[in-house]
């Protein structure tokens, strides 16, 4: 049986059972490992950030890829120039969290790809 009916119902789309497609199974395995991968990269990123930045995380957004997220990066400002950080490309702010592309998040984009979209498109 190819269709995983419970997951298909829950997600509102066709979901294949494990073992039907080796490439798809590998992509799902990568996706399930994303939290630990992103935590590891965030730990590396924090060491490169200015000392006044005490926390960061790496997030994955389908179609945007991997982003470095820094809470309250520029306080209450709305001026984009206040979000400039050396070595990072400012992308956007959402709920007082600034999102950036870094060398490491670009590496994740290049090596892991758009993981969730790859699974859905498969």
């Amino acid at each position: 049986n190819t269709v995983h009916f419970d997951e298909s119902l829950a997600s509102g789309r066709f979901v294949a059972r494990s073992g039907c497609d080796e490439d798809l199974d590998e992509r799902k395995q990568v996706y399930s490992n994303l939290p630990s991968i992103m935590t590891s990269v965030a730990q590396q990123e924090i060491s490169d950030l200015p000392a006044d930045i005490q926390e960061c995380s790496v997030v994955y957004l389908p179609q945007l890829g991997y982003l470095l997220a820094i809470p309250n990066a520029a306080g209450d400002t709305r001026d984009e120039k206040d979000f400039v950080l050396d070595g990072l490309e400012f992308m956007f702010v959402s709920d007082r969290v600034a999102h950036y592309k870094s060398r490491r998040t670009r590496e994740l984009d290049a090596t892991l790809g758009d993981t969730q979209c790859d699974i859905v498109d498969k």
Side-chain angles (χ1 to χ4, degrees):
N1 191 353
T2 304
V3 179
H4 193 299
F5 289 104
D6 292 338
E7 279 190 45
S8 294
L9 257 161
S11 67
R13 61 178 172 74
F14 171 81
V15 176
R17 288 192 179 280
S18 295
C20 294
D21 183 313
E22 188 175 321
D23 182 54
L24 180 60
D25 290 345
E26 286 176 24
R27 290 171 196 254
K28 286 181 176 181
Q29 182 63 40
V30 168
Y31 186 76
S32 71
N33 289 330
L34 285 183
S36 62
I37 293 168
M38 293 186 302
T39 297
S40 175
V41 172
Q43 290 169 344
Q44 295 168 33
E45 291 283 4
I46 196 73
S47 66
D48 293 340
L49 294 172
D52 62 324
I53 297 176
Q54 299 296 311
E55 65 178 302
C56 73
S57 60
V58 172
V59 298
Y60 165 70
L61 299 175
Q63 298 181 353
L64 293 177
Y66 300 88
L67 299 167
L68 179 62
I70 302 175
N72 204 25
D76 291 326
T77 187
R78 298 213 183 269
D79 194 340
E80 193 170 312
K81 70 176 174 42
D82 293 329
F83 293 97
V84 173
L85 291 170
D86 286 341
L88 301 178
E89 179 187 356
F90 174 70
M91 302 301 285
F92 63 91
V93 174
S94 176
D95 294 328
R96 297 178 55 112
V97 176
H99 295 79
Y100 299 86
K101 282 290 186 180
S102 70
R103 177 183 56 80
R104 289 182 184 99
T105 60
R106 290 186 193 288
E107 287 174 8
L108 290 176
D109 289 339
T111 58
L112 300 179
D114 199 348
T115 314
Q116 184 179 16
C117 290
D118 289 345
I119 291 169
V120 172
D121 292 346
K122 188 80 172 145

